[in-house]
Structures are given as structure tokens and as C-alpha cells.
Amino acid sequence: MINPPLSISISIFYSFFIALRSELYIIDAILPLTLLYIHRRELKKIALHLLKVELFLFILALLVYLFENDLDTSLLILQRSILIVTTTVLIFWGRDSFFIYKGLSSLGFPTKICSMSLFATKMIELSLKELERSKETLRARCFKPKTDIKSYKVYGWLFGVVTFKILQRSNVLAQSLKARGFRGEIASKLEVGFGYKEYVVLSIVLLDFIFFLWVYSR
Amino acid sequence: MSCSVNIIDLSYKIEDIALFENISLDVSHKEKVAIVGANGSGKTTLLKIIAGLIKQSSGEIKIFHESMKNLNDFDKHRGDIGYLFQDSDDQFIAPTVLEDVAFSLVNMGLDKEEAFQKARAQLVKLEIENLEDKIVYRLSGGEKRIVALAGILVLEPKILLLDEPSNALDDGCKKRVQNILNSIDSSTIIVSHELDFIKKVECKEYELTQKGLLLIS
């Protein structure tokens, strides 16, 4: 697995690098392919996940083709989105939810931004737990989801309850920060290692960028 | 004997309805006090008022003989007051166990490495050093409680405020928490609805009712 600061830097750089271009080359696919190789043991799981995400991209490209009748644009949209989504999913695959906070923190972002990302992650983590708990409650109380008004009403209540609990949680978070003497400091224990995987991934991105500059300057 | 906390005629109202009225209590230096009461009797609210997290409707709180006129007055005693939240998830701030235990130390101005060292020593003391790198939200209920306690005890607070420390714990974990509480040297206020748990901690017991605090034993 690649270290958090490099993962964040590469995912941002690669996304912009691909998104802002009108021509793509085979060399652009080396990064996602390498990442796929790094995660080769979980290939089946990743493929299923990507299939779900990219099916939506395929439908989007198909709609562009059908309505605009422009095959080149729809193919470019499809290729670009697949490259960006696949690379991002693979970079963050199997990481815990605090990975982005760790990355931002070790990249030297201001404490305010880091703590904001930490608190946002904490809220997401707790909300997901809350949602899971609500789902279990519905199951335990014999709720059978249907496509009728009663089911939608229950979904509405569920949304309301989760929102209310999140608001309550954020209020308590403020109290917790006060009780624990928060003065803007969160110490991170992360030691950023730079192994062969980091070197390989960084070299591929640089190579891709140099190739692009060479093609562009010709 | 010198007092750590003085509560004088404290009342708290929610929309003109009194949750409790005219409560007075003195907690001496290193004394342990337990407050029991039914659900909704205002135990947590009382503890939050003592911790300076919410404001009372009337009455006075003194910390080390100094009157706390508003919530900001508590700031200079923040390092002396340790507050254990009822739900451990509410208390956790940093992602991993070690980082969370070190959180308050770093905010009190301690060097990062020194804070981690002290936090590690606290984990060893409570025999949870194996949890050091675990994500706090994914621990079991019992582990969360001990980690939350570690995050407070690491500061060596002079006043300890514990909200339902036995919440959702099995017998083994409860015993562990009881042993930790019995070994602590700070002035302690424990609120709980579990009389059995309180009986095993060496402390004075009070019951919180709408009319005030009644001494049980």
C-alpha cells in the first residue's frame, strides 16, 4: 500500500492531468494497471466494485452518444472517467476512513483543515454506524421494504432520525473538545515510509507526465 | 478539610420546568462521591454543569474555592478536570487509541513525543497496550470504556467526573473499572443508575431527586 501523503498527491494530480486533456494514450493506463497488480490478491472484489461504479459511467457515456450523436466525445468521457475512477478507487482501496486526515496531516496542511477532515470523518463513521443500527431496528421490527407510500414514509423517518442524531453528535463533539482542552492540536503518530511501491508509482506518474510534455512540444 | 468542588444551591430548568432544584454538595480533596438516580433525573446534566460544559439556571459552582461565574472561568482548570462521557464514542477525537489518549496532553502544550510516551505508559498501566494502533470506533464496548478512561487519567486530573462508567459493560469489565476507580487518588464524582456497581467503589453515596441530593450512605 502506498503511504497517505503520496496517495493523496497522486490521486489529485492524476485526476487533473487526465481530466484536462483531450487526447489519451496507452501510457496513461499504466498507473491503474500497476495499482491493480499491487492489489492482485483482491482482484475479484475490486472488479465487482469497479463494475458497479463504472456501469453508471457507461450509462452516462451512452446517453451523451444518444442525445448528442457524438461518438468521439462520449468515448473520451468514458475513457477519462474510467481511468480517474479506477485509479482513485485503487489508491484508496482497503484504507481506513482516517486515511485522508493522515494524508493531509503529513502533507503539512494547516491544523484547521486537518481537524476539519478528521471531524468530518468521525461524523461519517458515526453516521454509518447509526444508519446500520437503524437498518437493524427496521429488520427487527418486521419492516419489509416495498415501493409504496408507507415504505417511503419510513425512509423519511429514518433520514430524519439519522440527521437529528448527527446534529446531536456534533453538539456533543463540541462539548468533548471543550472538556478535553482542545486548542487546535491533534498529534498524529503516522510515520511516512517510502518503499519500492512508492518509487514505482511516482516514477510511472512522472514518466506519463514527461511523455505528455514531449508529445505536446512536438 | 479543603474542598475541590463546592456546589451551592444549584438549580437547572428546561423551559421553566425544574430538572433539579437547590442542590448543594461539597467534595473534599481526594474524596469519592457517587450520585445515583433514576433515568432522566438530571445526573448527566449535573455532571456537565460541574465540568463547565453547560450553564446552570441558578446557584454557584466553586472549583478549588474559586467561584465559576461563567463557562470561560472553567478554562484555566481544564487540565485539572477529567470528564468521562456517558457514550465513549462522544469522547473520542483522534483516530487511533494512542493518538486519542495523547490528545489532551498535546493540547496542554506537551511535546508530541513526550505526550506519546506518557500515553503509552498509561496504556501499559491499564493493561491495554495491545490496542495502541487500533481505530477507537472499532473497539468493543468494554475496550472503549477503558480507552476513554485512559484518555482522562493520563492528565492526572485533580477532579474526576465520571458519567455512567459501568455503561454497557460485562461483569469482567465492570470489575476492571471498579479496580481502576479504587486505585485513583483524585476527587471523584461518579454518576450512575447502577447501585451494585457503586457499592463496590469506596465512596459516599447520594441520590439525586427533584428536591435535592439525599445522602444514602
Side-chain angles (χ1 to χ4, degrees):
Chain A
M1 290 208 195
I2 312 155
N3 71 41
L6 188 69
S7 299
I8 289 183
S9 315
I10 284 183
S11 76
I12 293 172
F13 175 78
Y14 185 80
S15 303
F16 276 105
F17 181 55
I18 297 293
L20 300 174
R21 281 162 54 191
S22 51
E23 283 173 341
L24 296 172
Y25 301 95
I26 296 286
I27 198 171
D28 297 323
I30 293 179
L31 181 63
L33 289 174
T34 312
L35 290 167
L36 264 178
Y37 180 74
I38 290 174
H39 293 290
R40 63 191 175 281
R41 282 187 194 142
E42 291 174 282
L43 216 56
K44 208 173 150 190
K45 234 173 159 185
I46 295 172
L48 268 172
H49 186 79
L50 285 175
L51 202 71
K52 268 191 245 167
V53 179
E54 285 167 7
L55 185 70
F56 169 74
L57 298 176
F58 180 75
I59 294 169
L60 198 77
L62 192 69
L63 287 175
V64 171
Y65 173 65
L66 289 175
F67 288 103
E68 299 290 326
N69 216 4
D70 184 350
L71 185 64
D72 287 343
T73 312
S74 59
L75 275 179
L76 185 68
I77 289 174
L78 186 64
Q79 286 165 351
R80 277 201 301 214
S81 337
I82 284 178
L83 279 176
I84 293 171
V85 168
T86 307
T87 307
T88 311
V89 166
L90 288 170
I91 281 179
F92 293 104
W93 185 259
R95 301 314 185 102
D96 64 66
S97 45
F98 293 99
F99 187 75
I100 292 178
Y101 154 71
K102 288 175 188 166
L104 293 177
S105 169
S106 41
L107 276 171
F109 274 79
T111 323
K112 269 194 182 168
I113 292 178
C114 294
S115 30
M116 259 166 60
S117 85
L118 175 66
F119 300 148
T121 316
K122 177 183 163 150
M123 283 303 158
I124 291 167
E125 186 95 358
L126 292 175
S127 323
L128 288 176
K129 221 184 227 179
E130 211 63 72
L131 203 66
E132 201 50 50
R133 229 178 275 167
S134 307
K135 269 199 234 164
E136 281 166 12
T137 310
L138 288 181
R139 231 174 282 146
R141 300 193 65 189
C142 312
F143 172 73
K144 284 194 183 108
K146 291 178 192 158
T147 49
D148 57 4
I149 192 77
K150 274 184 192 166
S151 296
Y152 291 130
K153 237 183 194 177
V154 172
Y155 293 139
W157 289 335
L158 192 70
F159 177 74
V161 167
V162 173
T163 312
F164 177 71
K165 284 188 176 170
I166 293 168
L167 288 174
Q168 242 179 352
R169 288 263 186 209
S170 54
N171 203 18
V172 178
L173 174 66
Q175 288 185 346
S176 174
L177 287 171
K178 206 171 186 188
R180 300 192 65 192
F182 181 62
R183 283 175 199 160
E185 287 292 331
I186 297 171
S188 175
K189 202 194 130 204
L190 186 77
E191 284 148 15
V192 180
F194 218 89
Y196 81 96
K197 279 178 196 163
E198 278 81 8
Y199 282 113
V200 169
V201 168
L202 193 61
S203 311
I204 291 169
V205 175
L206 284 175
L207 203 72
D208 197 1
F209 186 60
I210 292 166
F211 176 78
F212 165 74
L213 288 178
W214 177 70
V215 171
Y216 190 74
S217 62
R218 272 200 313 165
Chain B
M1 197 186 278
S2 81
C3 277
S4 301
V5 181
N6 301 95
I7 302 168
I8 305 154
D9 287 333
L10 200 76
S11 302
Y12 188 79
K13 286 178 185 168
I14 303 170
E15 291 168 1
D16 290 337
I17 299 164
L19 192 58
F20 48 76
E21 273 180 313
N22 305 323
I23 282 176
S24 295
L25 175 73
D26 297 327
V27 183
S28 312
H29 183 52
K30 294 188 181 179
E31 187 186 16
K32 287 193 181 79
V33 165
I35 298 170
V36 293
N39 289 339
S41 57
K43 302 185 295 291
T44 299
T45 308
L46 174 63
L47 212 59
K48 282 189 175 173
I49 292 172
I50 302 169
L53 298 177
I54 51 176
K55 186 108 182 78
Q56 68 268 33
S57 305
S58 64
E60 191 182 2
I61 298 271
K62 282 184 182 175
I63 302 286
F64 304 123
H65 306 283
E66 194 185 327
S67 180
M68 301 288 114
K69 295 217 164 49
N70 55 55
L71 295 182
N72 292 337
D73 291 342
F74 285 88
D75 287 349
K76 65 175 166 188
H77 294 295
R78 217 28 96 195
D80 295 325
I81 304 173
Y83 183 88
L84 181 80
F85 280 76
Q86 190 171 7
D87 183 349
S88 306
D89 279 342
D90 291 337
Q91 187 175 315
F92 297 139
I93 293 166
T96 66
V97 169
L98 185 74
E99 287 164 342
D100 193 76
V101 174
F103 175 83
S104 296
L105 293 172
V106 174
N107 280 283
M108 291 295 154
L110 222 68
D111 170 64
K112 193 174 132 181
E113 281 315 309
E114 205 181 328
F116 282 145
Q117 217 174 340
K118 262 193 129 178
R120 251 186 220 113
Q122 187 63 53
L123 295 183
V124 172
K125 211 168 159 185
L126 299 183
E127 297 168 14
I128 47 167
E129 65 271 31
N130 56 321
L131 303 177
E132 190 182 307
D133 292 318
K134 296 257 166 72
I135 297 277
V136 281
Y137 304 103
R138 293 178 195 166
L139 300 173
S140 71
E143 287 170 338
K144 276 183 186 174
R145 216 65 191 135
I146 311 274
V147 170
L149 255 175
I152 292 167
L153 296 179
V154 76
L155 273 177
E156 296 168 14
K158 292 183 184 128
I159 300 166
L160 209 53
L161 306 171
L162 310 173
D163 193 357
E164 305 276 5
S166 59
N167 209 4
L169 295 184
D170 61 27
D171 287 345
C173 283
K174 270 184 201 167
K175 209 166 177 190
R176 239 172 122 186
V177 173
Q178 278 156 359
N179 291 338
I180 295 167
L181 296 184
N182 282 327
S183 68
I184 292 168
D185 230 5
S186 321
S187 306
T188 308
I189 302 177
I190 308 168
V191 304
S192 178
H193 65 275
E194 276 190 73
L195 253 173
D196 289 345
F197 175 82
I198 294 299
K199 291 261 184 249
K200 286 172 191 147
V201 182
E202 296 143 19
C203 56
K204 250 190 205 172
E205 290 164 37
Y206 290 89
E207 189 184 352
L208 179 63
T209 63
Q210 211 180 0
K211 299 215 168 112
L213 280 173
L214 309 172
L215 182 68
I216 307 175
S217 68

